[in-house]
Amino acid sequence: MSGAKRPKEYEKLIVKGKRCDGRKIDELRPLTIKVGVIKRANGSAYVELGKTKVYAAVYGPKELHPRRLVEDDKAVLSVKYSMLAFSVNDRARPGPNRRSTEISKVVKHALEPVIFLEEFPQLNIELIVDIIQADAGTRTAAVIAGSVALANAGIPMKGLVSACAAGKVDGEILLDLNAPEDNFGDSDLPIAMTSTDKKITLMQLDGVMTKAEIQKAIILIRKGNDYIISKQIEALKGVYQ
Amino acid sequence: MIETNKNYIRQNIAIKRLDGRTYKDFRKLSVETNLIEKAEGSALVTLGETKVLVGVKMDLGTPFPDSGDVGILMTNAERSPIASPEFESGPPNDDTIELARVVDRGIRESGCIDFHKLCIKEGEKVWMVFVDISILNNDGNLFDAAAAGAISALLTAKIPKLNDNGTVNRSEYDGALVVTDLPIMVTTALINGVMVVDPTADEEEVIEGRVHVTSIEAGICAMQKSGSCEFTEEQIMTAIDNSIAMGKELRKQLKKK
């Protein structure tokens, strides 16, 4: 993260309080959420956060294979996050890798706390997230889309989950890093929160921050997540009205 | 573990743990270094009954296309069936991958290694530093033991000499790998509403989730929330405070070596 050589255009990432894409320090990228975009799936969503574009689909509850993974007292949520080959500058090799395995795991852990998995013992709820274009913030976009797709599939949940990141760039704490800020900044802190009691279900940190800076970042993230939740609810309501 | 034992741990966690510790106590951690002569660096960490062996090997490689002037760090973990009846041989599962990646993140993001110094010829040849983590006995909190092992092994690592024809000569060394900071990971787990430092294998059977926090002198350099539970901001701050406090102590201990 730190130490990467900056090209001329990104030598200064904040000029007079404005970021390289014109945003203020506490402003999210433009967010679009669409629901029910994949008709074969039980539930689906499309999320666009700036140039990051993500599809999520939910299949199930259905039978779980292989059978040895079955849990007797609850459903198993399986999450498959993947980046499509053409979603990044240098072609990404298709198929799972260590990064996608870890992200699938943290996204699963981000969503499980709000799902009433005990309603479907021995069954499987499958969430597939395809990143069709990656431009920073793909795991948070995956959480936003995944939570909406689960709701669209009618999976009983105690609330939604929203997610966004903040990070330290050129000495400032910024909300929702774009690709240059992510690549040339000092740190990145993605956090997912539940809509009901704003508890933290995903958190990772890459790069150095003090405790006070982390607390400052969480204040920005809370604000960002409040807005994201309102957009998630609006998108879901749009389908049923 | 039988259900009564699990309940016992849950109910008593705030007062007393099975091994007599309080929720704030870290087990004794000891490090033995340089016990593998064939490796460029090595360390055996003992944390309570948990034993983790870490070896560092260095090799020549081509840099990544987007960063031609920096060396490469590769961290890999293995949960050999030698360490626990629950571990199976075969390719790493998602828990093992997470372990390797969280340890890797702590080292990488701490900035303790200047990877520019590991560039031999820009765009063509760089040093690749392989950190291989092998679990010998699992009594819980593999993350902290592996992280302590990784940084201890790196601290002892020497860079092999390059022959005139560009091949590696492993019988002679060209100085030590320069490590300028000591990232320390401290894990706090959530059990029945209590944030508990350094869980044992028994306690890991009942934990709802964990927060792994890696600290350096200047602050926090990596974090990871793991497990399907929710944390309040206050609980996260407790994990950060634990890491800062324990990190200070362990840095002092490891520096003395």
Side-chain angles (χ1 to χ4, degrees), chain B residues 3 5 11 32 40 45 50 74 107 116 145 167 170 180 184-185 219 254:
Chain B
E3 207 52 39
N5 283 3
Q11 281 156 12
E32 243 180 285
E40 269 73 74
V45 166
T50 290
M74 301 270 263
I107 295 164
H116 288 99
T167 53
R170 294 194 194 271
T180 53
I184 301 288
M185 182 170 1
L254 294 181

Side-chain angles (χ1 to χ4, degrees), chain B:
Chain B
M1 200 197 297
I2 54 170
E3 207 52 39
T4 37
N5 283 3
K6 288 188 182 175
N7 285 336
Y8 182 87
I9 296 178
R10 282 194 202 103
Q11 281 156 12
N12 294 290
I13 195 73
I15 314 149
K16 199 172 188 182
R17 297 160 75 173
L18 282 185
D19 56 8
R21 286 184 292 156
T22 74
Y23 59 89
K24 275 187 157 178
D25 293 334
F26 204 84
R27 286 172 290 177
K28 181 176 177 283
L29 182 141
S30 58
V31 185
E32 243 180 285
T33 51
N34 275 331
L35 24 75
I36 310 290
E37 286 89 351
K38 306 236 166 171
E40 269 73 74
S42 59
L44 173 68
V45 166
T46 308
L47 176 63
E49 293 298 325
T50 290
K51 273 189 195 297
V52 177
L53 179 62
V54 181
V56 172
K57 290 296 291 177
M58 296 191 59
D59 249 318
L60 295 175
T62 32
F64 292 118
D66 59 345
S67 45
D69 59 342
V70 289
I72 294 169
L73 174 71
M74 301 270 263
T75 309
N76 190 50
E78 212 182 321
R79 291 180 197 235
S80 157
I82 201 171
S84 163
E86 276 114 51
F87 293 176
E88 288 167 19
S89 29
N93 63 12
D94 57 350
D95 294 328
T96 313
I97 290 173
E98 186 185 31
L99 168 64
R101 286 182 61 86
V102 174
V103 171
D104 182 277
R105 197 171 300 149
I107 295 164
R108 192 181 297 273
E109 301 298 338
S110 71
C112 69
I113 296 172
D114 183 354
F115 288 101
H116 288 99
K117 285 191 179 140
L118 297 174
C119 175
I120 299 163
K121 189 159 187 224
E122 191 171 335
E124 280 180 28
K125 207 193 257 185
V126 296
W127 280 114
M128 299 173 76
V129 184
F130 293 90
V131 176
D132 283 285
I133 299 161
S134 175
I135 315 299
L136 293 184
N137 188 53
N138 178 21
D139 191 22
N141 200 5
L142 296 177
F143 279 71
D144 296 357
I151 190 64
S152 303
L154 286 166
L155 278 170
T156 64
K158 290 168 290 189
I159 303 175
K161 208 167 180 169
L162 282 182
N163 293 325
D164 292 339
N165 62 6
T167 53
V168 180
N169 175 1
R170 294 194 194 271
S171 54
E172 284 177 64
Y173 289 102
D174 203 10
L177 179 72
V178 180
V179 179
T180 53
D181 210 322
L182 273 168
I184 301 288
M185 182 170 1
V186 174
T187 296
T188 308
L190 180 63
I191 301 176
N192 198 15
V194 182
M195 293 296 278
V196 182
V197 171
D198 181 26
T200 61
D202 280 348
E203 287 167 344
E204 281 181 348
E205 297 226 6
V206 302
I207 65 177
E208 290 134 55
R210 306 179 301 246
V211 187
H212 308 287
V213 182
T214 307
S215 71
I216 52 173
E217 304 267 358
I220 308 299
C221 65
M223 290 198 287
Q224 176 99 341
K225 174 254 173 187
S226 189
S228 73
C229 72
E230 309 163 301
F231 285 99
T232 62
E233 186 179 338
E234 203 187 340
Q235 286 167 333
I236 300 282
M237 291 306 142
T238 305
I240 291 177
D241 289 338
N242 288 343
S243 181
I244 293 174
M246 201 55 224
K248 252 183 208 152
E249 261 177 61
L250 285 177
R251 248 188 300 282
K252 241 186 259 165
Q253 182 192 331
L254 294 181
K255 249 183 209 164
K256 270 188 215 149
K257 289 222 143 234

Side-chain angles (χ1 to χ4, degrees), chain A residues 133-200:
Chain A
Q133 182 161 274
D135 197 60
T138 61
R139 72 197 68 196
T140 51
V143 170
I144 298 169
S147 134
V148 171
L150 284 163
N152 180 229
I155 305 291
M157 291 153 81
K158 66 175 188 183
L160 292 166
V161 183
S162 63
C164 62
K168 190 176 167 187
V169 179
D170 292 352
E172 291 263 15
I173 308 293
L174 305 180
L175 182 63
D176 185 25
L177 305 187
N178 57 33
E181 288 164 351
D182 190 17
N183 293 338
F184 308 118
D186 297 322
S187 57
D188 182 22
L189 173 72
I191 286 183
M193 283 173 183
T194 57
S195 61
T196 41
D197 43 14
K198 315 287 172 196
K199 282 191 176 171
I200 294 168

